[in-house]
Amino acid sequence: MKRLGILLSGRGSNFEAIADSVEAGKIDASIGLVISNRAEARGLERARERGLKALCIPSRGLDREVYDRLLIEELRRENIDLVCLAGYMRLLSAAFIREYPLRILNIHPSLLPAFPGLDAQHQAVDYGVKISGCTVHFVDEHLDAGPIILQAAVPVLDSDTAGTLSERILKEEHRIYPEAIQIVLSGNFEIRGRQVILERSL
Ligand code: GRF
């Protein structure tokens, strides 16, 4: 059975969607470890309530390479196969990415490559796009830039604020993140350049 490691910094609703899918047998893996860089992250508390191993490793004041070595140590200890970033608000070092090649996933609340970085929903509303959404992608050394596994689109309404748009996008995040994790775990995909070709279309 494959083991997932979840990195988060806050609310943890994507983590909960993943944990629900694991419990429902829709993801063929177990959650071996949840790590937060912030002690106050609600996701940590939720993980503990579910009886999962959940650690806080505070990142404040630590050099990125040093911090990431601590993460790698814990993930190795738990024999983690796939790392899922779920609202993890830190960039990963090249050394971390090398440790888990094509085995780190992220979810981002926009249709990448539009609106990478912070406050993607705000960026979308400000720009005036009519459609936005979310993206699950492999993590590489660039911000919000690795090969795309799944995306889902939602309309942007004239009346939307960043908050109302975020809610609409979040529902889709909770649907496609578990689905993308299962695709990656199953190995039913091929990567050609930037393209992730899913089994159903091979
Ligand atoms: C989500 O919008 C996700 O796309 C982004 O950070 C937010 C995390 O929310 N990367 P949650 O902590 O999973 O509720």
Side-chain angles (χ1 to χ4, degrees):
M1 175 92 95
K2 292 272 168 66
R3 289 168 66 75
L4 305 180
I6 312 277
L7 302 188
L8 53 79
S9 303
R11 182 176 57 184
S13 71
N14 277 289
F15 151 67
E16 295 221 69
I18 295 165
D20 287 345
S21 292
V22 166
E23 279 171 26
K26 292 183 193 156
I27 290 178
D28 196 12
S30 60
I31 297 177
L33 182 58
V34 177
I35 302 178
S36 171
N37 61 315
R38 294 191 186 146
E40 67 278 14
R42 200 172 81 192
L44 259 189
E45 197 181 305
R46 292 293 155 88
R48 291 189 180 121
E49 282 164 17
R50 286 171 185 265
L52 297 171
K53 179 167 179 192
L55 293 180
C56 173
I57 309 180
S59 54
R60 197 174 289 261
L62 285 187
D63 179 80
R64 190 176 312 287
E65 271 69 31
V66 173
Y67 184 74
D68 282 6
R69 267 203 296 279
L70 298 176
L71 287 182
I72 291 171
E73 221 172 272
E74 295 298 339
L75 294 165
R76 275 191 191 149
R77 203 195 309 278
E78 289 298 333
N79 297 312
I80 297 303
D81 300 290
L82 183 67
V83 177
C84 303
L85 308 185
Y88 180 64
M89 303 304 286
R90 279 177 65 84
L91 287 173
L92 293 171
S93 61
F96 189 101
I97 290 159
R98 269 198 308 275
E99 176 81 17
Y100 291 98
L102 292 177
R103 291 191 295 140
I104 311 169
L105 307 186
N106 182 41
I107 183 140
H108 183 76
S110 75
L111 294 176
L112 290 171
F115 312 128
L118 290 177
D119 292 329
Q121 304 93 331
H122 209 134
Q123 293 185 52
V125 169
D126 280 355
Y127 198 93
V129 291
K130 303 296 188 194
I131 295 173
S132 191
C134 50
T135 303
V136 183
H137 63 93
F138 287 106
V139 173
D140 65 12
E141 60 279 17
H142 305 290
L143 177 67
D144 298 329
I148 290 170
I149 303 159
L150 288 178
Q151 290 186 305
V154 306
V156 181
L157 308 180
D158 294 340
S159 57
D160 267 334
T161 60
T164 55
L165 178 60
S166 298
E167 267 175 49
R168 195 172 308 121
I169 293 174
L170 198 60
K171 285 205 184 89
E172 295 301 302
E173 295 186 32
H174 296 165
R175 184 175 66 77
I176 69 168
Y177 205 179
E179 198 185 322
I181 291 170
Q182 183 50 33
I183 289 170
V184 171
L185 288 170
S186 72
N188 294 330
F189 65 95
E190 229 175 67
I191 300 189
R192 294 186 204 146
R194 283 201 48 90
Q195 256 185 316
V196 179
I197 304 182
L198 307 184
E199 175 87 324
R200 57 179 184 254
S201 53
L202 282 176

